[in-house]
């Protein structure tokens, strides 16, 4: 009730406006669910019997004269009109902070139905709240509050399911998943997103059975919609239960087959770590490091943690005795990540960043091995190369590498932490002396051409690489020393 009273100044006024115009208005779906869970944010979802043109006109009336108010019709083709109004007690100078506004979406009663060969939903409008709620994905999202009367509407027992942590569909799960197969992935996301210390959510047995039987149907959904739902799952506080559900029902085999592929069989003759469970633990440890290191939920970092070992199944070999090797799984895995994320239509930048992290995730072990042998570890030049190769992904590489330690041997884990602490310390020390994140040769291309008396061409590139190697090996040289070394190198060239 406290959550609902918090939004009353907006919700009641909007309800009165629609009622005066002869329409019904309900707070609905996730907004009601989150209010009941004490999680309601600033996004408010409403549904109505008014058609989009009428909704747009009423919302324009609602925000008229309101400082910072706005209306948009981007979702009009799907029956949705959006608006925003300042939150309660706004300051005179309203900022662009999302928390300063209520973001409102009003959708006409509707149904989304897929044809067998369709990748996009067909939208049709309904005429009753009962018809709208029965078409929603799960009972916990099929509750509504009529406004301005504040009448609670729960025809499918969503309140009880919310209290008990059960994901059920208002109708049969087969019909629900046939209407929109993406709801099967949404079940996995809600399994993770809605769970708390008090209540652990899980789909009802009949929902799991339908997901398993109908997993093939996810293939009609566009890659973009699958990507968005998968991303939302990975960005939850605890994605493991949802990802496990995708694997167990066979959905992961359709949308991210490399994930169940990590479940390498373990036989009595060749025992080795369960790569799937290891990857899940790395993901969880990566999430745990985000806050302490000053970051929010990071999709690229989490994708890299989840997929860092996907090259292992392709590179697994049995050596003498019980030893198992995965040589070059970092390089193979990076290529596999590119291919899969491209298929899921992730952005080119996300693909490049994730693949780079997968390719580099083993680099640190050469350093830690040196530390374990009581040697100094890497030279300064090796540290520079580590930083240069990581580029703008260095902080994410720090997180991934630390998260990748899942050994139960506490002594070994402590030594790995100390080794990485030492590496980060050395990076910081070198960074104070040099511009590590933008290492370049001491001479640029124009200076090289002038000094050697050559025109633009391959020779300049070779000379530039030589000077870069010198810079990495010895640190800042200065233009005079760099010129001297360049002349010596040039004298040896044919």
């Amino acid at each position: 009730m406290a959550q609902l009273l918090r939004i009353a100044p907006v919700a009641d006024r909007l309800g009165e406006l629609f009622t005066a115009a002869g329409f019904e208005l309900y707070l609905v779906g996730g907004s009601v669910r989150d209010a009941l869970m004490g999680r309601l944010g600033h996004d408010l979802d409403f549904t109505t019997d008014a058609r989009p043109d009428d909704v747009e006109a009423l919302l324009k009336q609602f925000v008229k004269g309101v400082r910072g108010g706005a209306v948009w019709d981007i979702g009009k083709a799907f029956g949705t009109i959006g608006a925003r109004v300042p939150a309660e007690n706004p300051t005179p100078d309203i900022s662009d902070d999302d928390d300063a506004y209520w973001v409102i979406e009003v959708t006409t009663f509707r149904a989304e139905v897929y044809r067998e060969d369709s990748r996009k939903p067909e939208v049709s409008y309904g005429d009753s709240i009962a018809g709208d709620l029965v078409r929603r994905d799960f009972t916990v999202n099929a509750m509504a509050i009529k406004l301005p009367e504040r009448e609670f509407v729960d025809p499918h027992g969503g309140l009880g399911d919310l209290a008990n942590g059960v994901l059920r569909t208002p109708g049969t799960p087969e019909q629900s998943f046939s209407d929109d197969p993406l709801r099967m992935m949404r079940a996995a996301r809600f399994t993770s997103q809605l769970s708390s210390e008090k209540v652990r959510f899980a789909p009802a047995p009949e929902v799991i059975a339908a997901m398993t039987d109908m997993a093939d149907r996810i293939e009609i959904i566009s890659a973009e919609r699958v990507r968005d739902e998968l991303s939302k799952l990975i960005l939850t506080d605890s994605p493991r239960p949802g990802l496990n559900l995708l694997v167990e029902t066979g959905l992961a085999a359709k949308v991210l087959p490399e994930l169940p592929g990590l479940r390498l069989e373990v036989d009595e003759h060749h025992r080795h770590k369960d790569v799937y469970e290891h990857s899940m633990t790395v993901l969880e440890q990566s999430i745990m490091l985000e806050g302490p290191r000053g970051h929010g939920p990071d999709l690229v970092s989490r994708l890299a943690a989840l997929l860092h070992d996907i090259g292992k199944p392709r590179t697994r070999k049995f050596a003498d005795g019980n030893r198992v090797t995965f040589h070059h799984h970092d390089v193979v895995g990076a290529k596999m990540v590119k291919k899969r994320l491209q298929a899921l239509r992730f952005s080119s930048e996300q693909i490049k960043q994730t693949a780079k992290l997968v390719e580099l995730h083993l680099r640190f072990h050469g350093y830690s091995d040196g530390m374990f042998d009581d040697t100094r570890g890497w030279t300064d030049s090796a540290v520079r190369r580590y930083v240069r190769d990581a580029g703008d992904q260095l902080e994410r590489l720090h997180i991934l590498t630390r998260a990748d330690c899942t050994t139960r041997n506490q002594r070994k884990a402590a030594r790995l932490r100390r080794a990485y602490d030492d590496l980060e310390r050395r990076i910081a020390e070198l960074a104070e002396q040099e511009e590590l994140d933008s290492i370049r040769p001491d001479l640029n291309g124009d200076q090289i051409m002038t000094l050697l008396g050559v025109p633009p061409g391959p020779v300049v590139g070779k000379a530039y690489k030589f000077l870069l190697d010198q810079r990495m090996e010895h640190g800042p040289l200065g233009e005079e020393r760099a010129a001297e070394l360049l002349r010596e190198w040039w004298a040896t060239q044919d």
Side-chain angles (χ1 to χ4, degrees):
M1 286 301 299
Q3 293 284 312
L4 296 175
L5 289 173
R6 184 166 68 90
I7 68 170
V10 172
D12 288 350
R13 188 161 63 90
L14 195 61
E16 290 166 359
L17 181 64
F18 273 71
T19 299
F23 301 112
E24 296 178 355
L25 185 74
Y26 298 82
L27 186 72
V28 73
S31 293
V32 177
R33 178 200 71 215
D34 289 346
L36 291 168
M37 297 182 75
R39 297 181 178 184
L40 185 62
H42 279 68
D43 294 343
L44 304 178
D45 295 327
F46 297 88
T47 189
T48 180
D49 56 343
R51 295 303 189 252
D53 287 340
D54 294 318
V55 173
E56 185 174 11
L58 287 168
L59 286 180
K60 286 180 178 178
Q61 183 180 340
F62 185 67
V63 305
K64 186 176 181 181
V66 176
R67 179 170 178 166
V71 174
W72 54 89
D73 63 357
I74 296 175
K76 191 171 184 178
F78 297 96
T80 300
I81 305 296
R84 72 173 188 178
V85 293
E88 65 268 47
N89 302 318
T91 58
D93 295 323
I94 297 174
S95 70
D96 290 332
D97 185 350
D98 289 343
D99 289 343
Y101 297 93
W102 294 114
V103 178
I104 295 165
E105 287 194 345
V106 182
T107 302
T108 303
F109 296 153
R110 69 183 186 186
E112 291 183 359
V113 180
Y114 278 79
R115 293 181 176 176
E116 289 296 325
D117 58 350
S118 173
R119 298 178 76 87
K120 295 182 179 180
E122 293 182 356
V123 177
S124 60
Y125 298 132
D127 55 10
S128 71
I129 186 63
D132 183 88
L133 295 180
V134 76
R135 296 183 179 101
R136 292 186 175 257
D137 52 8
F138 301 102
T139 59
V140 295
N141 297 326
M143 298 177 284
I145 297 175
K146 189 176 183 180
L147 298 167
E149 298 93 329
R150 302 185 190 176
E151 175 189 339
F152 184 56
V153 182
D154 182 21
H156 305 289
L159 183 60
D161 288 341
L162 191 66
N164 294 318
V166 179
L167 290 173
R168 288 190 304 111
T169 53
T172 66
E174 290 80 9
Q175 183 60 55
S176 181
F177 299 155
S178 180
D179 286 349
D180 185 353
L182 192 66
R183 290 173 176 174
M184 294 187 287
M185 291 194 64
R186 224 173 275 153
R189 194 234 303 175
F190 287 137
T191 296
S192 286
Q193 180 181 321
L194 300 182
S195 291
S196 66
E197 292 182 1
K198 295 181 179 179
V199 181
R200 295 292 175 186
F201 275 78
E206 67 271 16
V207 172
I208 294 177
M211 291 170 66
T212 304
D213 292 342
M214 300 177 68
D216 287 347
R217 189 152 169 76
I218 197 67
E219 294 176 347
I220 76 165
I221 301 295
S222 68
E224 290 82 2
R225 293 188 73 209
V226 169
R227 173 204 64 207
D228 291 347
E229 196 59 49
L230 181 64
S231 298
K232 289 176 184 177
L233 167 57
I234 292 172
L235 287 171
T236 61
D237 291 341
S238 181
R240 185 195 283 244
L243 291 169
N244 284 343
L245 182 61
L246 290 181
V247 171
E248 291 161 4
T249 57
L251 281 161
K254 305 297 180 182
V255 300
L256 190 62
E258 293 80 6
L259 188 59
L262 293 174
R263 285 185 160 179
L264 302 174
E265 69 275 8
V266 180
D267 61 50
E268 57 183 303
H269 301 294
H270 300 101
R271 297 187 179 275
H272 57 273
K273 187 185 298 182
D274 185 325
V275 183
Y276 176 83
E277 291 300 326
H278 164 73
S279 298
M280 289 296 173
T281 301
V282 173
L283 174 59
E284 290 178 329
Q285 294 185 167
S286 175
I287 292 170
M288 291 172 61
L289 288 169
E290 289 174 346
R293 294 185 71 99
H295 309 296
D298 184 344
L299 181 58
V300 168
S301 184
R302 295 185 183 195
L303 282 170
L306 180 64
L307 303 176
H308 74 285
D309 274 347
I310 65 169
K312 280 191 170 180
R314 289 192 183 178
T315 58
R316 182 177 58 157
K317 295 196 182 315
F318 297 110
D320 295 336
N322 292 333
R323 219 162 44 87
V324 181
T325 65
F326 303 99
H327 294 312
H328 307 302
H329 77 269
D330 47 347
V331 177
V332 172
K335 293 178 180 177
M336 293 172 65
V337 162
K338 285 182 181 178
K339 184 175 180 180
R340 177 53 53 196
L341 297 189
Q342 284 170 352
L344 288 170
R345 303 291 192 272
F346 280 88
S347 72
S348 58
E349 193 65 16
Q350 289 171 323
I351 295 169
K352 182 176 73 172
Q353 292 168 348
T354 308
K356 175 184 274 193
L357 290 167
V358 172
E359 185 172 358
L360 294 177
H361 82 273
L362 293 179
R363 285 288 182 90
F364 162 70
H365 292 285
Y367 186 86
S368 63
D369 290 344
M371 295 297 293
F372 293 167
D373 292 339
D374 296 324
T375 65
R376 186 171 181 274
W378 287 347
T379 62
D380 286 350
S381 64
V383 174
R384 291 188 192 102
R385 292 181 192 280
Y386 186 81
V387 174
R388 180 177 174 82
D389 289 347
D392 60 1
Q393 299 306 300
L394 180 62
E395 172 61 10
R396 284 172 169 155
L397 185 58
H398 288 333
I399 291 175
L400 175 58
T401 305
R402 287 183 179 276
D404 196 20
C405 175
T406 62
T407 178
R408 295 180 183 178
N409 184 324
Q410 293 303 311
R411 180 177 296 180
K412 181 178 180 181
R415 292 170 75 187
L416 283 167
R417 284 194 297 272
R418 287 197 304 272
Y420 209 87
D421 287 343
D422 185 76
L423 176 57
E424 285 204 63
R425 177 188 58 77
R426 290 185 60 199
I427 289 172
E429 288 175 352
L430 283 173
E432 288 183 4
Q433 305 166 24
E434 313 170 22
E435 296 180 6
L436 282 184
D437 55 352
S438 58
I439 294 178
R440 294 180 178 84
D442 296 84
L443 301 176
N444 61 32
D446 290 336
Q447 290 172 306
I448 291 171
M449 288 187 287
T450 299
L451 190 66
L452 300 183
V454 297
V459 167
V460 180
K462 289 177 64 177
Y464 188 93
K465 183 179 183 303
F466 166 77
L467 288 177
L468 179 60
D469 288 341
Q470 296 301 307
R471 170 70 174 81
M472 298 293 287
E473 187 67 29
H474 303 293
L477 299 169
E479 292 185 8
E480 184 175 338
R481 176 58 178 159
E484 181 181 340
L485 289 173
L486 182 61
R487 290 191 186 95
E488 292 175 1
W489 171 82
W490 183 239
T492 67
Q493 302 303 299
D494 295 332

